[in-house]
Structure formats: C-alpha cells, structure tokens
Amino acid sequence: MVDLTPEAFRTLGYQVVDLLANQMATLPDGPCRRPVPDEVRDALLEQPLPLEPQASTDILERFTQLVLPYPMGNAHQRCFAGVNSPPAPLAVLADLLASGMNPSVAGGDHAATYVEHAVLRWLTQLLKYPIDSGGLFTSGGSVANLIGLAIMRHVKATTNTRANGLWAEATPLVVYTSAQGHSCIEKAVELLGIGHTYLRKIPVDAEYCMDVEKLRTHIHADRTQGLRPVCVAASAGTVNTGAIDPLNAIADICAAEDLWFHVDGAYGGVGILAEQTTDLFNGMERADSLAIDPHKWMYVPIECGCVFVRDAQAMRDTFSLIPPYLRDDTQMPWFAEFGIQQTRSFRALKVWMLLQQLGEQGYRELISRDITLAHYLQERIRTTPNFELIATGPLSIICFRYAPLGCNDLDTLNRRLLERVQQEGHTFFTSTELDGKLVLRVCIVNFRTTEADLDFLLEYLAKVGLHIRKEVL
Amino acid sequence: MVDLTPEAFRTLGYQVVDLLANQMATLPDGPCRRPVPDEVRDALLEQPLPLEPQASTDILERFTQLVLPYPMGNAHQRCFAGVNSPPAPLAVLADLLASGMNPSVAGGDHAATYVEHAVLRWLTQLLKYPIDSGGLFTSGGSVANLIGLAIMRHVKATTNTRANGLWAEATPLVVYTSAQGHSCIEKAVELLGIGHTYLRKIPVDAEYCMDVEKLRTHIHADRTQGLRPVCVAASAGTVNTGAIDPLNAIADICAAEDLWFHVDGAYGGVGILAEQTTDLFNGMERADSLAIDPHKWMYVPIECGCVFVRDAQAMRDTFSLIPPYLRDDTQMPWFAEFGIQQTRSFRALKVWMLLQQLGEQGYRELISRDITLAHYLQERIRTTPNFELIATGPLSIICFRYAPLGCNDLDTLNRRLLERVQQEGHTFFTSTELDGKLVLRVCIVNFRTTEADLDFLLEYLAKVGLHIRKEVL
C-alpha cells in the first residue's frame, strides 16, 4: 500500500508532472497570487487526522483543489515579493531526482557526495572565493550565517568554547553589522550565547551602506570599555535595498583590528556575476566566511543556502566530533563534520544541473538582466508623476512610494494601496520600513519578468492609487 | 533558456519519472549499493565549471551515467544501514510538487502554511503529545534537538540570554543525556555556548537505557559543586540499539529537580504507534520538548525533522524578532518566529500526503511490521551457530557479531566481514561500537524488507564469514 509498482509510480508521476505543466501554462494569464478563501483555509486547518488509508488519486485531487491554486506565488512574472527567485523547471525536476535517490549527504562513498564537492568548487570559482575554502550547502541563509559566526566564535574566543562554553571567557565578544543587516545575524548572535546587547548595528550612509568611520568609532569605544570586538558581519546586498557595504574598507579594518570578516551575501552575493555591479564586490574574496543562497537569486527551489569558510580546518575544528588524532586524512572528510546537520539532503543536485544548463555565461546574463530591469523600473519611477523613489540599491531591489502632492499620511496611503494590490492579485510585493517610513519594495529576481510587466506595475499602481487616494484623503 | 515551455517541461518531467520508475523496477534484483568506480568519482569531482549552456537532455544523460547508479542505497529491500527509511513513492512526488510550487513557509496566507499547521496537529495526536504545543518542521533531528535545547536555555537561564548572552549568567548550566545519547545533543550544547564539559553522559544499564539512579547522583553532585542542572535530554530510541530511556522515571526526576525534560525521539519516537512497544513511551507526553524525524521512520524523503514544544509561548519568545507588544494576536504567528530559519521549504506536504495514503492505521501497521521483522532477525541470530546477539533493543535495530569459536580477534574479523559485504553490495549495513566492541548493526525501517531478506542476510553472512575467517585466522 505504501509502495507503488513502477507502473503505478509512472502513471502517478506523469499526473503530477501534468499538474505542474498545466500550472505553468495557465500561470502568465492567471493571478499572481490568490488569497486563500476562508473555506479552503478551514478545510485545510480542520481536516481530521486521517485514520483509514486513502487512494493516491483522491489525495492528489484534494491537493489540486485545496493547495495548488494557492501558492505563495513567486513563479509568476509579476511577483516582486521578497528575494526568492522562481525555480528553473530543470531545477524542480532535480529536486524530484534528489528525493527519489534519497541519499543523505552526511558523507561517504556515493555519487551525491562527489557532486556536492564539485558544485561547491564551481561556486567558489564563480564567486572568486579561495578554491580551497571549506564549504557546505545549508537550508538557507540563516543557517549559513549561523555557521559562519559559530566558526568565528570558535576561532576568536580565548578559551576552548566547545569544551567550556562561554563560562570561562572573561570578556564579552562583540559583533558588528549595519543597521540594515539581516535579522538572521541577530538570531545567530543570540543562539551562540553572545547576546544582541553585544551586536552593534552600525548606522548606514545615504546609500544604506555601513558607515565605516562609525564602525571604527564603535570598535574603539568597545575596546575602551573593556569589551572584545571580534567580528564584522557585512552585507553584500541587504534584503531591504540591495545595499553592498564597502567590503574592502571593512576588510581593511578587520585586518587592522584583528576581527573576523564575515560577508552575508545570501541575496546579493551573486551580483558579482553581473558586469554592472561586479566591482562593488571587490573585497568579498577577503572574507573569512561568506554566505550565499542559491534559492534566492540562482533560480533553484527552496531550500538551498551555502556557506564558505576560508580556513577549512577551522570549520572542521568547530563542528567535527571526530578528534583530530582519529581523522583519516586519506579519506575525504564527511560534510557532517563541517556543520550542524548529520542527515543532509542532496541540495547540490539542482545547482549541479542548473549550472550546466545555463553555464557561467547564462548565469551572468540572467543576473545582469534582472539588474537592468531594476534600473529600468527606477528610471520609470523617477519620471512618473506621484511616485517617489526612496532607495536605489545597485542590485535588483527598488524601494519607492506612491506620493501624490497634498497627502499628509503617506504611510497610511501606501499601506492601503498595498492591501488592495495584494487582494487583487495582478501583481504581488510587500513593504518595508526605511528611515521610519513605510515604503513599497519591489524585488526583481525573476527570469520571467519583462519591461512590459514593470510598465504594467506602475500604470496599475497609479490607477489603484488614484482610487485609494480618494478614499483615504 | 532557463525557462521551459509547459510542453518541454512535460516531456522532460516524464523522462525523469521514467528514470525513477526504471530504477524502481530494476532495484530488487540489482545490487543494494555500488561502490563508486574511481573513474566515475574523478569525472564528478574534476568536471570543470561549465561555461557554455548545455542541453537538458545531455545533463540528464550525464546524471543517468554518473549519479543515478550510485545512490547511498536505502531504497533497496536489503539496505539495513542507518535509520533513514526508504521514501514512499507518493512522498517523493510530494517533494516534486513542493519544489514546483516553491513556497517559503516562513508564514503568511498561502496554502502551505495551513498544511503545515494541520500536519503538526496530526503528529501531536499520533504521538499523544499536547495538541496546543508549539511545533515546527526542521531539516532533521540535529536542528530539532538544537531548537528544543535553545528554548530550554532561554527558559532556564536566570538572565535574559537573548539580550545579554551567557556573560551575565553566574553559574554554568548542566545538561544530562545518556552515554548512548545522539551526538547531535553534544553539538547543540556546544553551539549554545554551554560547552560539552557541562554535558553529562550518564552511564546506561544492561539494556543501554539511562541509569536513573546515576542520573540522580550526578545532579546532586553538580548542585553540590555549585553548578546549575537544567535539563535531561532523554532518548526515545537511541540510534545505536533503539534503547528507550525510562521516560516516566526521568520525567519524575525533572519535575522534582525543576529540570527541562527533552526527549530525542528522532528515530524511535514513532515506535509509540506500534502495539508491541507503545507502553515504553509512557511519559513521552510529559516532555517539555520532543524531536522526531519523519525522514527516519515515517518513510518520507530526506529532509524532514520535527520539533514540538509544550509551551508554545516559550518557543516563540526564544526566537521571535517581533517584540511582544507588536504581535498581532488576531493573525497566526509566522513559523519563522518559532525557530532558526526564515525561508522554509514545504516539507509538510510529503507528510500530509503520506498520512492520508496510509492513515493512522497504515502507519501503525508498518511500524509494527518493522519491529516484528527485527524480532524475527534477533531470534534467528540467537539460534544460528557462530553468531552472537549483542543488543536487543525493543524497536528495529539489532546489534550482533559473527563470533565463531576460537577466534581471538572478533573486532578484526567483523571489520573484514563488513568490508567484504559492503564491497559485494548484496546487502548494506554498517557497524557501531558497544562496550568497546565493534558490532554489526542492522536497522529495519524499510517497508520493502521481508523475512526472506533477513534469511538471506544471515545465510550470506555465514558464508562470507567462513571465507573471511580462513583469511584472518
């Protein structure tokens, strides 16, 4: 009953492929996203624990009715919410193959292990990061950044924290990020027992990049107070605006002050591939640890994060439960020795396949294209009446507002506008807060988006805005 | 190029389904596992970063040649290595649908959110755990256990560790597990900054269960030394032997001593569903936090772990970055507020589908069947000359040795035996260490395994053993 004959699997598999193919066919003309109707939500939430076995076809039918029509929506050409790209169709099928083979890539002699090693090397080459660094696929950026900071703690502590915890450490360690750094840095600092009191959120400049003079000032002030500055976690593409901190200047400070240089490039790190922005990533190669998320801007399905650590030995020393004197250097070490997970899925396969389908060249073109589209939208916003451009990051995120003259409460106006847009489903995006203002945030990480979609976006917002404006004012 | 037309996706999707269907058809008569030939390993490891785009069919062909024939092997009916079950075919297709829809289940109003809520409730019902507990799908047991212990630290510390780290905590916290507890408990204790010096590995009894008298003694000794005992991490099914710690007795001690009661049921927790073993899980419902891994013994593909926490509010308070005064209680909280990840895949879908396909009843039968098979093998080992049963856990793991009379070096003999077995590929399993001895370890978490496979296993081992024995002696 739990098993299927190969023939039954084939039949059901074709049905599942058809469901997704049909979804792809109707996607462009359908809504970007449908709010879940109350009765569907209740049917899902309240379905009792199934007691008796049910036929696969009935289950697929229920899925088709209740689940498939209500995705989060990032496959649609006018989904601009967040920095998770739509998945390339081949990468979706790679996930099927990974689940079908079902290896645990903890390590050992099987194909998935070698594929992961190869893909990690390819990524270091693309990112211009040292080829002999330690690397690991993770569930996403939160864990990739956590692993980077865990290794930092292991290296920078004055005592053996794996053995003794932080109890024997005389002085609190201090970590620096920018006020626009991702919240997962704060989560990591908390989980590691450092505490967010010892995470300094350095103010940003007008471009939302870390102010390195203020960073220097904070480091010296902390030393004066008897604390131990140990790490700067810079952003190579914030998720709010795509701002890239001045990496070389921060690397210089880290070198001068003996701090660990971590770069969170979860969203933006692959911007190094685009000719327009590649120079902004100078200095990223100096990072002690680097997080990037292929599921953000490399067009593979969720989940796929990645962390690289310059000192592979430090990475292993932080996590391996095999004592150094028992390590067999004639064998490849297990991935489980380099991170938190033991059982690990075959995330590398989708990146392996997609990197072959696109080639380095294809990736460069796609990333570059998204940035060109973002610049196009920025320019349209600048020249369209009643819109105000708030942030012009160099990558593919645009923050703006609907700002008709005479409106005193732009936050309320834009919040209502966004609610209406999200309800109607012709396009989908969210808001963020910048300098205390609510702003609309559009992210372009989508190979299906065209200039026409961006033209539609602005024209549609202008039309809805006019309507809402009458209601609000 | 990166996108496919619906028709091209359908064609390629059918090919991929065919690959897996053919794999299923040839599986039973093929080897359990093929060592990766040197030239295949080198081809994978040394393939240069692709520069030019390649055709999908070529990529699939390379996958078919180099990757698919060399899985880790747990789909085969005679794979007894580790406690990752083969994936049910429907659950494999569920992963395809999850990747195709590609939601991030951080939270929000889309179908995947509601499916995850429903499945978490179903699991609490199956596990007899409080239905209003907090719950979260994770990458696996390591992160599930880490989350449980992170919440423990948050609750048990005398200061606000999220803000102040462990620096202001006057007394080291002490965690207890058994000498047979999983290594991920040690990793978690290290990552949380507690340090493994403050993890006590309590000796086990003859059944490899935690000795509760010794637990009590250690707790009192630690208090006398001025340390702060805060948590017992019990095992509900160790991965070495399937031993279940005396949960009610430990829960009593935790209640009396004001300790957090964590249960690692990653592999064995679902043993509560089998009539033979359900009583051994009495007390699991008293746990403050509980980890189980559907990818271990619930027949879904890797990755799928799960953590439940009795006090959902404490779970949220440990991880949420939304201050309590800003939480909107009319909305469902986001899953990202209950754990480490922000972007989260739709892991719940495969459990949702499989629980409907099997029903509670089907799951009970399958788990029970695995246990019956394990008892059958134990009995066969007991009555077969030259074999020695080392551990008889109540669940589905059997530890034994090939132990012909007159052999003085059983460790070497069994290591050689295992090497030969792994090389030949008719069956696959690994070894572990118990009481300083190398023992063979067979795990039965496989709906394809029959008594005939176990008969084959013993007869084959006897035959190979006779051969090896001549070489070794």
Side-chain angles (χ1 to χ4, degrees):
Chain A
M1 178 178 54
V2 65
D3 208 356
L4 297 179
T5 64
E7 267 320 302
F9 175 78
R10 193 189 310 267
T11 305
L12 203 64
Y14 284 9
Q15 284 176 36
V16 165
V17 168
D18 285 346
L19 279 179
L20 291 178
N22 294 344
Q23 186 80 349
M24 286 168 73
T26 54
L27 183 74
D29 300 324
C32 183
R33 180 171 173 279
R34 288 181 183 86
V36 184
D38 288 354
E39 63 273 19
V40 171
R41 185 194 60 213
D42 293 348
L44 288 171
L45 285 175
E46 291 163 16
Q47 184 184 352
L49 170 66
L51 301 179
E52 311 283 321
Q54 293 166 37
S56 301
T57 46
D58 292 344
I59 299 164
L60 216 53
E61 178 60 27
R62 186 172 302 117
F63 169 83
T64 309
Q65 296 300 321
L66 300 180
V67 182
L68 188 61
Y70 309 106
M72 212 180 56
N74 68 353
H76 193 279
Q77 69 274 13
R78 287 191 300 275
C79 179
F80 307 114
V83 283
N84 288 126
S85 53
L90 181 65
V92 169
L93 295 173
D95 266 355
L96 168 59
L97 289 167
S99 288
M101 286 186 74
N102 200 39
S104 168
V105 200
D109 176 49
H110 54 106
T113 300
Y114 305 125
V115 169
E116 181 157 342
H117 278 291
V119 178
L120 289 170
R121 174 171 52 79
W122 294 352
L123 288 176
T124 59
Q125 292 177 259
L126 286 177
L127 297 166
K128 298 186 181 166
Y129 199 68
I131 202 166
D132 58 348
S133 64
L136 193 74
F137 281 101
T138 68
S139 52
S142 294
V143 171
N145 282 301
L146 172 62
I147 288 175
L149 295 184
I151 299 160
M152 177 282 294
R153 190 189 69 179
H154 178 74
V155 170
K156 288 297 181 186
T158 59
T159 55
N160 178 350
T161 54
R162 288 191 62 178
N164 304 320
L166 297 181
W167 318 109
E169 196 68 20
T171 311
L173 310 180
V174 185
V175 176
Y176 303 83
T177 192
S178 88
Q180 291 287 315
H182 194 273
S183 59
C184 73
I185 301 292
E186 184 166 339
K187 271 196 175 180
V189 162
E190 291 179 357
L191 199 72
L192 293 169
I194 295 171
H196 62 242
T197 298
Y198 302 99
L199 175 66
R200 306 270 175 261
K201 296 180 180 174
I202 306 298
V204 291
D205 62 19
E207 307 299 319
Y208 302 97
C209 301
M210 191 188 290
D211 181 327
V212 288
E213 279 316 307
K214 290 190 174 133
L215 169 63
R216 215 186 302 264
T217 308
H218 270 84
I219 291 171
H220 293 168
D222 284 328
R223 285 206 203 281
T224 305
Q225 285 185 38
L227 300 172
R228 271 200 71 216
V230 287
C231 173
V232 182
S235 303
T238 63
V239 295
N240 258 353
T241 69
I244 301 166
D245 289 335
L247 301 177
N248 257 327
I250 294 171
D252 288 342
I253 292 177
C254 287
E257 301 279 349
D258 195 24
L259 307 190
W260 184 273
F261 179 35
H262 175 78
V263 173
D264 174 10
Y267 149 61
V270 292
I272 196 173
L273 295 175
E275 54 183 353
Q276 303 102 310
T277 51
T278 193
D279 289 346
L280 297 170
F281 293 86
N282 287 343
M284 192 163 83
E285 75 286 354
R286 297 168 66 188
D288 292 299
S289 49
L290 169 64
I292 65 151
D293 272 9
H295 71 205
K296 284 206 167 66
W297 201 5
M298 287 186 83
Y299 317 106
V300 301
I302 293 163
E303 297 172 347
C304 193
C306 198
V307 58
F308 292 103
V309 180
R310 172 181 300 274
D311 182 347
Q313 191 57 45
M315 190 177 192
R316 193 177 188 185
D317 288 343
T318 303
F319 290 106
S320 177
L321 293 164
I322 305 173
Y325 58 90
L326 284 183
R327 291 179 197 162
D328 177 357
D329 289 334
T330 64
Q331 304 282 319
M332 296 179 102
W334 280 46
F335 285 115
E337 296 182 67
F338 290 79
I340 298 167
Q341 289 183 236
Q342 181 69 25
T343 298
R344 302 174 64 251
S345 68
F346 193 9
R347 305 182 204 287
L349 184 63
K350 48 193 166 192
V351 186
W352 186 78
M353 287 196 161
L354 201 57
L355 250 167
Q356 293 177 80
Q357 192 195 15
L358 289 170
E360 176 179 344
Q361 176 194 317
Y363 258 119
R364 288 187 187 281
E365 285 166 11
L366 283 179
I367 304 283
S368 186
R369 182 178 176 280
D370 287 338
I371 293 173
T372 301
L373 284 171
H375 289 169
Y376 174 80
L377 180 61
Q378 286 177 16
E379 200 46 44
R380 289 269 346 236
I381 291 168
R382 269 199 197 93
T383 56
T384 302
N386 297 328
F387 285 92
E388 179 189 7
L389 192 60
I390 303 288
T392 59
L395 298 173
S396 64
I397 300 174
I398 303 109
C399 295
F400 65 108
R401 296 208 290 186
Y402 179 62
L405 277 177
C407 175
N408 296 320
D409 188 356
L410 289 176
D411 276 12
T412 301
L413 183 64
N414 279 276
R415 187 175 299 112
R416 294 270 178 86
L417 175 63
L418 192 63
E419 280 165 11
R420 178 70 61 92
V421 166
Q422 292 190 349
Q423 201 61 32
E424 291 188 349
H426 302 300
T427 179
F428 188 68
F429 55 90
T430 61
S431 62
T432 189
E433 195 186 293
L434 282 181
D435 306 320
K437 297 177 199 164
L438 180 136
V439 299
L440 307 176
R441 170 171 162 269
V442 159
C443 310
I444 303 176
V445 286
N446 190 332
F447 48 80
R448 295 188 179 121
T449 302
T450 63
E451 287 189 359
D453 294 313
L454 301 175
D455 293 338
F456 171 91
L457 173 71
L458 266 198
E459 284 153 27
Y460 168 66
L461 288 181
K463 201 169 68 184
V464 179
L466 199 65
H467 206 80
I468 297 282
R469 185 179 165 186
K470 287 181 191 148
E471 291 173 10
V472 172
L473 294 182
Chain B
M1 178 179 54
V2 64
D3 209 356
L4 297 179
T5 64
E7 268 321 302
F9 175 78
R10 193 189 312 267
T11 305
L12 202 64
Y14 284 9
Q15 283 176 35
V16 165
V17 168
D18 285 347
L19 280 180
L20 292 177
N22 294 345
Q23 186 80 348
M24 286 168 72
T26 54
L27 184 73
D29 299 325
C32 184
R33 180 172 173 279
R34 287 182 183 86
V36 184
D38 288 354
E39 62 274 18
V40 170
R41 186 195 59 213
D42 293 347
L44 288 172
L45 284 175
E46 291 163 16
Q47 184 184 351
L49 169 66
L51 301 180
E52 311 284 320
Q54 293 166 38
S56 301
T57 46
D58 292 344
I59 299 163
L60 215 53
E61 178 59 26
R62 185 171 302 117
F63 170 82
T64 308
Q65 296 299 321
L66 299 180
V67 182
L68 188 61
Y70 310 105
M72 213 179 55
N74 69 353
H76 193 279
Q77 69 275 9
R78 288 192 300 275
C79 179
F80 308 114
V83 283
N84 288 127
S85 52
L90 181 64
V92 170
L93 295 173
D95 266 355
L96 168 59
L97 289 167
S99 288
M101 287 187 73
N102 199 40
S104 167
V105 200
D109 176 50
H110 54 106
T113 300
Y114 306 125
V115 170
E116 180 157 344
H117 278 292
V119 178
L120 288 170
R121 174 171 52 78
W122 293 352
L123 288 176
T124 60
Q125 291 177 260
L126 286 177
L127 297 166
K128 297 186 181 166
Y129 199 68
I131 201 166
D132 58 350
S133 64
L136 193 74
F137 281 101
T138 68
S139 51
S142 294
V143 171
N145 283 302
L146 172 62
I147 288 176
L149 295 185
I151 299 161
M152 176 284 293
R153 190 189 69 178
H154 179 75
V155 169
K156 288 298 182 185
T158 58
T159 55
N160 178 353
T161 54
R162 288 190 62 178
N164 304 321
L166 297 180
W167 318 108
E169 197 68 19
T171 313
L173 310 179
V174 185
V175 176
Y176 304 82
T177 193
S178 88
Q180 292 285 316
H182 194 273
S183 59
C184 73
I185 301 293
E186 185 166 337
K187 272 196 175 180
V189 162
E190 291 179 356
L191 199 71
L192 292 168
I194 295 171
H196 62 241
T197 298
Y198 301 100
L199 175 66
R200 306 270 174 262
K201 296 180 179 175
I202 306 297
V204 292
D205 63 19
E207 306 299 318
Y208 301 95
C209 300
M210 190 188 291
D211 181 327
V212 290
E213 280 316 308
K214 290 188 175 135
L215 169 64
R216 216 186 301 265
T217 307
H218 271 84
I219 292 171
H220 293 168
D222 285 327
R223 284 206 204 283
T224 305
Q225 284 185 37
L227 300 172
R228 273 200 69 217
V230 287
C231 173
V232 181
S235 303
T238 62
V239 295
N240 257 353
T241 69
I244 301 166
D245 289 335
L247 301 177
N248 257 325
I250 294 171
D252 287 343
I253 292 177
C254 287
E257 301 279 349
D258 194 25
L259 307 191
W260 183 273
F261 178 37
H262 176 79
V263 174
D264 174 10
Y267 149 62
V270 293
I272 196 174
L273 295 175
E275 56 183 352
Q276 303 102 308
T277 51
T278 192
D279 290 347
L280 297 171
F281 294 86
N282 287 342
M284 191 164 82
E285 74 288 353
R286 297 167 67 187
D288 292 299
S289 49
L290 170 64
I292 66 151
D293 271 9
H295 71 207
K296 284 207 167 66
W297 202 3
M298 288 187 83
Y299 317 107
V300 300
I302 293 163
E303 298 171 346
C304 193
C306 198
V307 57
F308 292 104
V309 180
R310 172 181 299 275
D311 182 348
Q313 190 58 45
M315 190 176 191
R316 193 177 187 185
D317 288 343
T318 302
F319 290 105
S320 178
L321 293 165
I322 305 173
Y325 58 89
L326 283 183
R327 291 179 197 162
D328 177 357
D329 288 334
T330 64
Q331 304 282 320
M332 296 178 104
W334 280 46
F335 284 113
E337 296 183 65
F338 290 79
I340 297 167
Q341 290 183 236
Q342 180 68 25
T343 299
R344 301 175 63 251
S345 70
F346 193 9
R347 305 182 203 287
L349 184 64
K350 49 194 166 192
V351 186
W352 186 76
M353 286 196 163
L354 201 57
L355 251 166
Q356 293 178 78
Q357 191 196 16
L358 288 170
E360 177 179 344
Q361 177 194 314
Y363 258 118
R364 287 186 188 282
E365 285 167 11
L366 282 180
I367 304 283
S368 186
R369 182 178 175 281
D370 287 338
I371 293 172
T372 301
L373 284 172
H375 290 169
Y376 173 80
L377 180 61
Q378 285 177 17
E379 199 46 42
R380 290 268 346 236
I381 291 168
R382 267 199 199 92
T383 56
T384 301
N386 297 329
F387 286 93
E388 180 189 6
L389 192 60
I390 304 287
T392 60
L395 298 173
S396 63
I397 299 174
I398 303 108
C399 294
F400 65 107
R401 296 209 289 186
Y402 179 60
L405 275 177
C407 175
N408 296 321
D409 188 357
L410 289 176
D411 276 12
T412 301
L413 184 65
N414 280 274
R415 188 174 299 113
R416 294 269 178 88
L417 175 62
L418 192 62
E419 281 164 11
R420 177 71 60 93
V421 166
Q422 292 189 349
Q423 201 60 32
E424 292 189 349
H426 302 300
T427 179
F428 188 67
F429 56 90
T430 62
S431 62
T432 188
E433 193 185 295
L434 282 180
D435 306 321
K437 297 177 200 165
L438 180 135
V439 300
L440 307 176
R441 170 171 163 268
V442 159
C443 310
I444 303 175
V445 287
N446 191 332
F447 49 80
R448 294 188 180 121
T449 302
T450 64
E451 288 189 358
D453 295 312
L454 302 175
D455 292 340
F456 171 90
L457 172 71
L458 266 197
E459 284 152 29
Y460 169 66
L461 288 182
K463 202 169 64 184
V464 180
L466 199 63
H467 208 77
I468 296 282
R469 186 181 163 184
K470 287 181 194 152
E471 292 173 9
V472 172
L473 292 183

